[in-house]
Amino acid sequence: MKAVKLKIISNHQVSERYWHMVVDASELREDVRAGQFFNIRCAEQYSPLLRRPFSIYSINKHNRTLEFLYLVKGAGTQRLTRIEAGERLDIFGPLGKGFTLHENGGTVLMLARGVGIATLAALAQEAAEQGLRSVAILSARTRNDLLAAEKLRGFGAEVYEVTEEEGNSDVENVRKLIERIFRKYDVRAAYTCGSRRLSKLLQDITAEKRIFAEIALEEHMGCAMGVCFACVCDIRDANGLNRTVRVCKDGPVFALEQVVL
Amino acid sequence: MMDEAIQELLQLEVRIGSLRLQNPIMPASGTFGEEMDSVIDFNRIAAIVPKSITKYPRKGNATPRVCEVPAGMINSIGIQSKGLEYYLKKTLPYYRQYDVPVISSISADSIDEFAEMAEVIGNVDNVAALELNISCPNLKGNGLAFGMDPEVTRTLVRRVKDVTAKPVIAKLSPNVTSIQEVAIAAEEGGADGLNVANTILAMAIDIHTRKPKIGNGMGGLSGPAVKPIIVRMIYQVRQVSALPIIGCGGVMNGEDAIEMMLAGATAVQVGTASFINPMAMMDILQEIKEYMIRYKIDDINDIIGGAHKLSSAP
């Protein structure tokens, strides 16, 4: 775990609200897993002051690059858009605990919304590398926000898209879609990121079907190293007691059944 | 790069009462923990300052617990704590592997509880000093922070001093009309050092949701935004007290640390800076050495309070 300055290969706008950044990770010594994140310094100045956590969109082992797909939301991400190819970016990581993929031959289901889609794209890539079939339901406000769908298809995932724009993103519709997928495939693991509502839905379904499931959580962070206790969430332990844990250190990936949503 | 041999000759050791520190740079409580051992070498900092400990486990406050403001950060963590028992069994023993002193930061709800905890923790052999977080509210008093009242501060420090032989550092609250009055009170109570200061009470509101940006409503401001206020407070405390001061608030680099030492600080704590640059403490130490070489300063103690000698300010 170390802060390093990595070279930016490209950083450009890909839709109205999203940007895509490719970083040369050849100087990074640690292995990176899907679900882990990097805490990035968006500007060499005191405002915006704090680093911003970004999950990994794609881990390209062959050419040793990392990709980030980020939503431009506030001062930090706005400043990040001004960093150009060739410049070096101060990134700290990889941090946190990634997803667990089991080599059990079944199908993995992914349910993601908004910027959470980027987090699961890296998992679809890892699943493909392990020869696992993945089926993904991607939810967003507009079709324009679903640009990662092609990336997931590129990793061999079967992708279902739902949006407010098309009026098919409500929880009931997603529930029906999940049930159809369960009838069609032997789903043995499920993963989610980006929506409390959809995570709750997946929590209920996977609990009922007793299927392994994980969630990647997002929270405002301070140190991202586990020392400041800013980014916390509640989980239910084996004894049914609620415990406050750190998203950055104990997560950001947790067993879905444990997270109090 | 500077010649390492020259750097080796620099005298960086400072003292807080009987506590000897190999250099003036240590972490601020709440911004440091075991998890940082893969980022920095703990044996190179002045002291280990674990997060404030409370007698009983505490859940902490609602999220969001931090928010960013221009050149600063507001936090209200609520001292999430595993309690004294865990601290004695796990936290303190873990730090035995390092060769630097441990300063235990204590937080309590009453003067009695401060004394009780200080006695127990003071008896642990690898605890070198105690730092009293007197910015927390006095639940058996009027609910105001102990450190907001000079009389309460004096009594609290005295009670703690009565039960432990270890050096006691009072971490003052900046949320007072006169930091000098509270500093004098802590000195009269027998404190061996003063930490100036805790975070500054602050607030930020999201204009879109019309709600406070942190779960607890208000929180403590830290980061570069607070540094000029803290430098002023260190300067003022130095004017009225002979006690060694640990400066704390917004130090981001070596220049900031030197500035605090010139105002009167013997040592400096680094907090928020470590969130932005996890290696901040190491970089600050290096920059202090470069400053010493540039100005031909052999002993860091020679600059402590340096601004007072040159200034005619009251």
Side-chain angles (χ1 to χ4, degrees), chain B residues 2 11 28 51 65 96 110 125 129 197 224 231 252-253 277 311:
Chain B
M2 254 191 306
Q11 159 62 269
K51 184 174 170 61
R65 290 176 170 185
R96 279 184 192 282
S110 67
D125 60 349
V231 169
M252 300 299 287
N253 51 45
N277 170 15
S311 159

Side-chain angles (χ1 to χ4, degrees), chain B residues 13 163 207:
Chain B
E13 189 183 291
V163 296
I207 62 162

Side-chain angles (χ1 to χ4, degrees), chain B residues 216-271:
Chain B
N216 193 43
M218 289 176 265
L221 180 65
S222 65
V226 308
K227 192 199 66 180
I229 299 172
I230 301 302
V231 169
R232 181 266 294 178
M233 287 186 163
I234 294 167
Y235 191 92
Q236 286 184 312
V237 169
R238 173 82 176 188
Q239 285 176 320
V240 297
S241 169
L243 290 181
I245 297 165
I246 301 175
C248 178
V251 169
M252 300 299 287
N253 51 45
E255 287 182 22
D256 296 340
I258 297 283
E259 187 181 357
M260 281 193 179
M261 296 186 83
L262 289 169
T266 295
V268 170
Q269 291 186 343
V270 178

Side-chain angles (χ1 to χ4, degrees), chain A residues 227-244:
Chain A
V227 304
C228 81
F229 291 83
C231 61
V232 292
C233 72
D234 277 353
I235 65 165
R236 258 185 315 267
D237 64 17
N239 306 318
L241 295 169
N242 278 11
R243 203 155 56 85
T244 304

